[in-house]
Amino acid sequence: MSPTRPEPRTRRPDLQRPEELAARLARAGIDLSVRNRPLLTRPNRTAVELSDDLPGEPATVFVYHCLDDADAREQAQTMGAPAFACGRFAIGTRGGATTRDRELLARIETVLNQPIGMHAITLVE
């Protein structure tokens, strides 16, 4: 009989729309409003803004929902550090980002880097 052991799943969430991304973040305690940004949208990338809407100037990040993972990685590179890609999403801050914007981005990245769950695999000899 072969042993069964857990193996962590990848961090890539199976999310199809920016609203699903916002819902995943809300379940982790990060409540954000989703606003379309049509002037930043391109044929292969839909742009939205996620904002915490807290009093004062809200913390905001930009999200590009891309055609595929490779396109998201390319978009994140063009956004510069500390932008990152997660699945079909490129997530980063705008030029002149505030400290709160960067903190929100770091919180989002932490949530998205957490393993989604564990699953068992059976080792066959």
Side-chain angles (χ1 to χ4, degrees):
M1 181 76 46
S2 298
T4 300
R5 72 176 162 211
E7 179 179 287
R9 291 177 59 190
T10 64
R11 73 176 182 97
R12 184 176 176 263
D14 187 22
L15 304 171
Q16 300 302 314
R17 298 182 353 248
E19 293 79 11
E20 292 174 347
L21 174 64
R24 164 100 191 274
L25 295 170
R27 287 190 300 277
I30 305 174
D31 292 314
L32 301 169
S33 298
V34 179
R35 294 182 188 88
N36 290 323
R37 291 297 178 227
L39 294 177
L40 298 175
T41 294
R42 300 294 176 258
N44 59 342
R45 296 179 182 115
T46 301
V48 299
E49 177 182 276
L50 300 179
S51 177
D52 66 9
D53 292 336
L54 293 176
E57 187 170 335
T60 301
V61 297
F62 286 92
V63 176
Y64 289 90
H65 183 228
C66 302
L67 292 175
D68 56 33
D69 296 15
D71 193 39
R73 286 190 302 273
E74 180 181 312
Q75 177 62 38
Q77 287 177 344
T78 66
M79 296 168 79
F84 65 96
C86 185
R88 293 175 53 196
F89 296 98
I91 306 168
T93 57
R94 62 181 182 250
T98 67
T99 300
R100 288 190 58 222
D101 295 338
R102 290 187 295 277
E103 288 170 354
L104 176 59
L105 181 64
R107 287 180 59 210
I108 291 170
E109 185 172 22
T110 298
V111 167
L112 295 178
N113 277 329
Q114 294 173 353
I116 296 169
M118 302 286 279
H119 66 278
I121 59 169
T122 302
L123 300 177
V124 179
E125 293 181 15

